[in-house]
Amino acid sequence: MYDAGKIIVGLIIGIGLLLFPFYYNAGKAAKAPEPQLTPKAKEAKVCVAETSYMKTSHMHLLERWRQEVVRGGERYYTASNGKVYYKSVEETCLDCHSNKSKFCDQCHDYMRISPYCWDCHIAPKETK
Amino acid sequence: MDIDRRKFLKIAGLSAVMGIGGKAAFELLAPKELEASLREVPLTQGKKWGMVVNMAKMDDEIMKRCMEACNRVHNIPNFGDPRVEIKWIWEETYEHSFPGQEHEYIGEKYLGRNFLLMCNHCTDPPCCRVCPTGATWKREDGIVMMDWHRCIGCRFCMAGCPYGSRSFNWGDPRKAPKELNPDFPTNRDYPTRSKGVVEKCTFCDERIARGQIPACVEAANEIREGALVFGDLDDPDSDIRKVLRAHYSIRRKPELGTGPNVYYII
Amino acid sequence: MLDKALKGSATYWGWLLFLLAFIGVGFGCYLYQFSEGLRITGMSRDVSWGFYIGQFTYLVGVAASGVMVVLPYYIHNYKAFARITILGEFLAVSAIVMCGLFISVDLGYLPRVMNIILYPHPNSILFWDMIVLNVYLLLNIFIGWNVLSAERKGVHYPKWITPLIYISIPWAFSIHTVTAFLYAGLPGRHFWLTAIMAARFLASAFCSGPALLILLCFIVRKLSRFDPGKEQIRTLGGIVAYAMILNVFFFLLELFTAFYSRIPEHMHAIVYLFFGLEGHTRLVPWMWGATVFAVIALVLLIIPQLRRREGILAIACGSVIVATWIDKGLALVVGGFIPNPFDRIFEYWPTTPEVFISLGVYATGFFVLSVLYKIAVSVKEEVAA
Ligand code: SF4
Ligand code: SF4
């Protein structure tokens, strides 16, 4: 209990463990991947919201949609340009972005996040 | 069908416009028009959805089709093990569907005959009362809904439901044996569920939202009109009300006060 | 005071290591359950709660029973119990820790457990159970810790603790009442749908908890220089006797209502448990075992001359624990699901991983209990010296 030496050794080991992820990843910086658009997405030109907004905040939009659809039963979304969309991951988002691996996964992997959306929502079959 | 001819034609027209996926409509209709036209579809505007199972018109073949249709559109896995089965709509014999109602002199016409069972979308549902998170709740239109994003899998609702209408995902549905589920998931536009949440029949809320009748009713109608009648119990002129006025019907365990909204014409 | 937990004999450390081994195995099994889902348990769509929830229910009773030492001391000014209130409070703390863990391992989607607080639904009894259990845990930690520190310093505990102590008394009743309400308000589960459920729960808690406490007192006396006291143990023995009589009496009331009314749904679960239904008899030997233990316990407890002999009291307490555990930890939950809503019978039996996870939770609880008791007993020894 009063053994200062042991406490210090313990502290050092503890801090070392805490910092482990940092030096484990040190020097591994990779270039951020660019999401790729399918021909269909390119042709559509616009998404349901501004590209810049979608890039940073699509998860918030999806979160809102899921709340509105499941809890509120409202299934139609009017974009700022007046166009109406059916709020559905499968039928709207993935209809254009049918290349999950190149559009979604690249960035998610890069960011080391694995959204649990895919536990239930089904990604389109991709032809390689 | 629970809608008169004129309205039906309107729906038929609209569904044709919308296509199965409902996507085409957006290109053809301006936003205001689309909303207005959907509002006109009586199937999106119910106050108290209910179902009649007319056993006089029902047979084993129709029941089989109904179950297949539901399993297909909702990606219901088959584990091949009654202990962990997922059941939204299923069959059960008379004496086990209405336990306590059978007696020793009952005719063969009923004893051992299969009935079609599903969630009763109760008026005062105990499942919703006991849920600690609101992951299952009663919508304004009478549907007892499930939110698979919110459910914590405590299974209180399964203890609360006196009809065995709720199924728990004991394992990941995507890991269900391949031989029993050759083309799972069967509907790529509908999610599967994650392991650890409870699920059940939702009266096809996703279809009603676009003016389509529930998948089981559609399947039944293809063989025989009126074997299943779906509609708004709040509307005295609806077909379901007409059927209920014309025939004597029973419900499962009405004495518990849950107010089941699935009726059986014997 | 925590340092007291760090200085102990080889037996103490050996015991903790032994528990750690079980915790490790249980945790490993839990990781397996976490990745595969609850299908690795014996539960099914028909018996959708099992061993975990049974243990939870039993342990809420153990936690509530802490009040049986607190109440006589603080309300009736029964001075003798001053020596052992801390043991009752720390037993309650570790029991609630186990309750929390049993609920956690039973959840299908544990990472979302905060939804109970993020989307509170006061219409759910589970919501209230979560509240009363957590508050009871905090109450017992605060009270126990402060009273013990004060005792160590030889001063009276701080004034603000007194109201907490008085709150903790009805609170103990509330935790087990609310837990009974989890079951007693469900339409269609006839075995549970009984107004006397909360009373039965309390009666069985107030015999099984103090019985456990008596056994713990014997162990404490053996392993340390602190003696919880002859009179204390004798009084606890009396409490166990009365509570066990009530417990059995309440159960007999259930039997009367079910079998005199002869309403099939009310009889089915009981018949299943004691005689089996349609050839399904898995719990029958257990139920008769429980009956035998209950009878032994009653005989030994009711006759004062027997009860006052400590060796015999220990046997009686052991029998009480076994009988109430089978009744509440095993039969109560499973029996409520049999027959199922379709009047069909699907039986339940826990699987090996399920049992190991449960043992892991028990080991965690006993770990907490051992550490807390170590602290309490060391303080008592220090004060006495
Ligand atoms: S049948 Fe069961 S699941 Fe459906 S609403 Fe009624 S209680 Fe809830
Ligand atoms: S299992 Fe899910 S839906 Fe059922 S009561 Fe628990 S949180 Fe609610």
Side-chain angles (χ1 to χ4, degrees):
Chain A
M1 194 58 208
Y2 303 110
D3 194 336
K6 270 188 201 151
I7 293 178
I8 290 169
V9 172
L11 272 178
I12 291 173
I13 294 176
I15 292 174
L17 280 176
L18 265 179
L19 294 178
F20 176 72
F22 294 97
Y23 56 73
Y24 180 74
N25 279 335
K28 282 197 190 165
K31 215 176 127 300
E34 257 309 293
Q36 289 177 18
L37 295 180
T38 58
K40 188 164 182 189
K42 273 195 194 126
E43 199 190 313
K45 294 219 171 53
V46 285
C47 194
V48 298
E50 290 294 316
T51 307
S52 56
Y53 172 82
M54 291 306 285
K55 259 193 181 159
T56 56
S57 310
H58 60 280
M59 51 289 203
H60 303 307
L61 181 89
L62 289 173
E63 169 86 33
R64 208 162 61 231
W65 276 18
R66 102 172 178 197
Q67 203 73 11
E68 289 161 1
V69 168
V70 182
R71 312 288 314 183
E74 303 155 23
R75 289 178 178 259
Y76 297 94
Y77 171 76
T78 314
S80 54
N81 63 3
K83 213 169 164 211
V84 175
Y85 295 91
Y86 186 70
K87 294 179 208 162
S88 160
V89 178
E90 285 91 350
E91 294 179 50
T92 303
C93 307
L94 297 174
D95 184 43
C96 277
H97 304 294
S98 51
N99 53 339
K100 170 173 174 276
S101 58
K102 289 276 177 311
F103 188 77
C104 314
D105 295 349
Q106 279 194 143
C107 283
H108 291 161
D109 290 348
Y110 176 75
M111 303 288 290
R112 297 204 168 217
I113 48 172
S114 43
Y116 69 11
C117 313
W118 309 111
D119 289 359
C120 301
H121 293 279
I122 301 165
K125 287 199 181 101
E126 288 182 56
T127 41
K128 295 265 159 59
Chain B
M1 294 283 296
D2 178 36
I3 19 193
D4 65 40
R5 275 245 106 53
R6 193 183 56 83
K7 283 183 187 161
F8 174 66
L9 290 175
K10 209 171 233 161
I11 297 170
L14 186 83
S15 335
V17 170
M18 289 176 75
I20 300 291
K23 271 169 270 177
F26 310 119
E27 274 109 63
L28 293 170
L29 295 170
K32 287 277 152 44
E33 273 176 63
L34 176 81
E35 276 157 30
S37 56
L38 267 177
R39 207 163 297 131
E40 283 225 2
V41 179
L43 263 172
T44 64
Q45 303 299 323
K47 296 274 184 303
K48 190 180 181 191
W49 294 121
M51 179 92 81
V52 163
V53 182
N54 191 343
M55 291 308 291
K57 297 190 174 183
M58 190 53 89
D59 61 38
D60 284 348
E61 177 61 19
I62 304 181
M63 281 193 242
K64 196 165 138 249
R65 294 287 188 83
C66 292
M67 294 186 288
E68 280 169 1
C70 177
N71 293 349
R72 194 173 53 245
V73 300
H74 298 119
N75 293 327
I76 291 174
N78 177 5
F79 280 94
D81 173 2
R83 288 183 3 149
V84 297
E85 225 169 5
I86 308 277
K87 299 197 278 196
W88 285 28
I89 181 168
W90 70 103
E91 51 186 12
E92 180 57 276
T93 60
Y94 171 78
E95 58 274 26
H96 291 289
S97 304
F98 301 90
Q101 298 284 312
E102 81 280 14
H103 55 77
E104 52 188 308
Y105 309 116
I106 204 159
E108 255 134 54
K109 194 170 154 215
Y110 300 107
L111 204 66
R113 173 155 188 216
N114 276 333
F115 277 61
L116 207 51
L117 307 185
M118 67 197 91
C119 167
N120 290 293
H121 296 270
C122 302
T123 305
D124 188 3
C127 56
C128 302
R129 191 154 60 233
V130 299
C131 176
T133 62
T136 189
W137 77 102
K138 180 102 178 142
R139 295 200 327 190
E140 303 234 311
D141 62 358
I143 291 179
V144 171
M145 252 305 264
M146 272 304 307
D147 182 348
W148 297 308
H149 298 114
R150 192 181 284 183
C151 174
I152 59 172
C154 65
R155 312 193 292 298
F156 203 177
C157 54
M158 294 178 80
C161 171
Y163 303 99
S165 304
R166 300 186 149 258
S167 308
F168 182 69
N169 284 280
W170 296 100
D172 186 340
R174 293 185 189 179
K175 287 193 192 157
K178 268 275 159 286
E179 348 40 288
L180 295 173
N181 306 270
D183 38 31
F184 187 85
T186 37
N187 177 5
R188 304 188 72 88
D189 285 342
Y190 199 81
T192 61
R193 268 69 64 192
S194 59
K195 67 170 185 288
V197 301
V198 165
E199 62 181 82
K200 67 170 196 72
C201 156
T202 65
F203 267 173
C204 286
D205 69 293
E206 80 285 3
R207 293 170 55 93
I208 293 176
R210 7 169 101 154
Q212 296 169 328
I213 50 175
C216 56
V217 186
E218 191 179 83
N221 278 340
E222 274 167 21
I223 303 181
R224 194 173 298 142
E225 289 268 319
L228 284 182
V229 184
F230 176 79
D232 187 0
L233 289 164
D234 210 40
D235 172 6
D237 300 323
S238 63
D239 283 0
I240 188 168
R241 287 286 295 273
K242 285 181 200 150
V243 179
L244 286 175
R245 263 197 301 274
H247 302 273
Y248 176 70
S249 58
I250 59 171
R251 295 181 295 170
R252 295 170 65 202
K253 305 186 183 176
E255 71 279 7
L256 297 177
T258 58
N261 286 307
V262 175
Y263 294 79
Y264 294 85
I265 294 171
I266 306 286
Chain C
M1 281 192 303
L2 263 180
D3 52 313
K4 299 269 180 241
L6 295 176
K7 276 181 279 179
S9 62
T11 330
Y12 171 67
W13 289 109
W15 167 245
L16 290 191
L17 273 181
F18 173 75
L19 291 177
L20 270 179
F22 272 97
I23 296 173
V25 174
F27 188 71
C29 289
Y30 180 71
L31 289 182
Y32 172 52
Q33 177 188 299
F34 190 81
S35 73
E36 281 306 303
L38 282 158
R39 77 186 170 148
I40 66 141
T41 69
M43 291 183 272
S44 62
R45 80 190 306 290
D46 301 287
V47 184
S48 47
W49 282 337
F51 206 65
Y52 299 148
I53 296 294
Q55 304 320 298
F56 160 78
T57 310
Y58 186 72
L59 290 165
V60 174
V62 173
S65 73
V67 78
M68 283 291 113
V69 283
V70 175
L71 188 144
Y73 175 46
Y74 290 101
I75 304 260
H76 298 290
N77 204 14
Y78 179 63
K79 290 272 178 353
F81 271 0
R83 274 176 88 80
I84 56 166
T85 47
I86 188 70
L87 299 185
E89 282 154 358
F90 281 172
L91 177 60
V93 170
S94 54
I96 297 207
V97 168
M98 290 189 264
C99 290
L101 286 172
F102 271 118
I103 288 285
S104 304
V105 297
D106 185 70
L107 289 185
Y109 216 116
L110 181 64
R112 285 187 192 151
V113 62
M114 278 307 172
N115 282 359
I116 301 186
I117 295 161
L118 296 176
Y119 309 99
H121 275 70
N123 47 355
S124 172
I125 299 295
L126 203 55
F127 170 79
W128 292 107
D129 215 27
M130 182 266 303
I131 291 188
V132 290
L133 284 174
N134 279 308
V135 171
Y136 190 66
L137 176 65
L138 293 180
L139 279 174
N140 275 291
I141 292 178
F142 267 114
I143 296 170
W145 199 257
N146 277 294
V147 172
L148 192 64
S149 321
E151 188 176 335
R152 186 187 189 194
K153 295 185 197 116
V155 295
H156 195 267
Y157 51 82
K159 275 242 152 4
W160 56 272
I161 289 288
T162 318
L164 291 187
I165 292 173
Y166 283 104
I167 292 173
S168 82
I169 292 171
W171 210 273
F173 288 85
S174 86
I175 62 167
H176 219 24
T177 306
V178 174
T179 304
F181 287 175
L182 288 178
Y183 301 99
L186 303 179
R189 305 281 177 193
H190 297 276
F191 187 51
W192 297 337
L193 191 73
T194 157
I196 209 173
M197 185 67 98
R200 267 181 71 195
F201 269 30
L202 286 167
S204 99
F206 293 157
C207 57
S208 57
L212 183 57
L213 194 58
I214 291 176
L215 296 185
L216 289 172
C217 285
F218 286 143
I219 295 173
V220 164
R221 181 194 278 164
K222 251 223 161 72
L223 294 181
S224 78
R225 275 170 288 128
F226 170 63
D227 182 2
K230 255 197 150 33
E231 184 193 340
Q232 284 78 352
I233 287 176
R234 182 175 289 184
T235 313
L236 276 179
I239 292 174
V240 175
Y242 281 109
M244 185 63 184
I245 293 169
L246 274 181
N247 184 29
V248 172
F249 174 63
F250 288 163
F251 183 70
L252 294 177
L253 296 183
E254 297 271 25
L255 293 189
F256 171 79
T257 303
F259 290 96
Y260 195 79
S261 73
R262 301 196 74 64
I263 297 174
E265 290 90 350
H266 288 272
M267 298 190 292
H268 277 163
I270 304 176
V271 173
Y272 165 72
L273 289 174
F274 282 94
F275 302 102
L277 272 181
E278 298 168 19
H280 299 278
T281 55
R282 196 166 282 162
L283 287 180
V284 171
W286 289 85
M287 290 319 288
W288 288 106
T291 312
V292 170
F293 278 108
V295 170
I296 295 176
L298 279 182
V299 171
L300 298 184
L301 286 169
I302 289 177
I303 304 171
Q305 291 83 347
L306 290 179
R307 181 172 83 221
R308 297 213 176 108
R309 303 240 297 274
E310 286 196 347
I312 290 181
L313 181 62
I315 296 172
C317 287
S319 313
V320 166
I321 292 173
V322 174
T324 51
W325 183 83
I326 293 174
D327 170 39
K328 221 156 134 193
L330 202 60
L332 177 98
V333 173
V334 178
F337 288 108
I338 296 172
N340 75 1
F342 308 101
D343 206 14
R344 288 188 186 277
I345 296 162
F346 288 89
E347 293 196 280
Y348 162 84
W349 197 246
T351 58
T352 312
E354 199 176 357
V355 170
F356 273 111
I357 292 172
S358 304
L359 283 178
V361 172
Y362 269 113
T364 315
F366 276 101
F367 191 94
V368 173
L369 183 77
S370 309
V371 169
L372 289 176
Y373 268 33
K374 175 76 180 43
I375 295 173
V377 167
S378 307
V379 168
K380 299 269 185 193
E381 285 174 340
E382 190 182 284
V383 172

